[in-house]
Amino acid sequence: MPKIEPIRFQRGSPMLLCGLRRYHLYTESSRSIPEQWEVFRSLGKIPGQVGSNCYGVMCGHDAGGIEYLCGVEVDSFAGVPAELGRMHILEEEYAVFGHSGQISTIRTTWERILHEWFPNGGYRSANKPDFEVYDQRFDTRTGSGDVEIWIAIEKENRPDA
């Protein structure tokens, strides 16, 4: 398997995201996150939605699981139904990785980023929300295509050897 590397580094723009926000146990996430996406897609267009991209955001985690928001960008939170989650993504520096193929294998890409790239990449997590971008290159009907994974980073300050 080739070494995992970012496809680019990019300064991200601030965004307002709105969607379904749920906590998932790691042991159940391979089933429960796709179910969350199904429910989200059934909501239709969100008031104030900007564009057609969808975002899968890692909002937080603990030893047992992860909080995940599946949503879209909105121009404001005004008019957004109260039961939907809201998140403000700040301008950050990101390492952007690619994932191609079936979405069911995206966890492997995440694990390679966290366990192969981070220890050797010269960067550390900025401890900000990381997210997946689903654009026109991803087919929601087949669950396959290209997805970008945006990881908020900071340059690691290592003493010279």
Side-chain angles (χ1 to χ4, degrees), residues 3 7 21-22 47 55-56 63 73 80 82 87 109 122-123 128-129 141 152 161:
K3 184 176 174 183
I7 54 176
R21 191 169 178 161
R22 296 187 177 159
Y55 299 85
E73 185 176 2
V80 170
M87 177 170 278
T109 303
Y123 294 88
K128 306 290 182 185
R141 294 166 307 177

Side-chain angles (χ1 to χ4, degrees), residues 91-113:
E91 181 178 327
E92 299 291 341
E93 198 64 38
Y94 292 92
V96 181
F97 294 84
H99 172 82
S100 293
Q102 279 296 316
I103 199 61
S104 61
T105 63
I106 198 166
R107 185 175 184 164
T108 301
T109 303
W110 274 99
E111 288 173 355
R112 291 190 67 211
I113 293 166

Side-chain angles (χ1 to χ4, degrees), residues 110-160:
W110 274 99
E111 288 173 355
R112 291 190 67 211
I113 293 166
L114 298 174
H115 302 295
E116 293 176 30
W117 184 75
F118 261 122
N120 304 305
Y123 294 88
R124 65 176 175 253
S125 171
N127 294 312
K128 306 290 182 185
D130 300 318
F131 55 89
E132 303 153 350
V133 179
Y134 298 87
D135 61 19
Q136 74 281 354
R137 297 171 296 163
F138 183 78
D139 187 340
T140 58
R141 294 166 307 177
T142 65
S144 186
D146 294 329
V147 177
E148 289 186 347
I149 299 173
W150 290 54
I151 307 289
I153 56 169
E154 295 176 339
K155 189 77 172 153
E156 202 168 55
N157 295 324
R158 294 184 182 179
D160 292 329

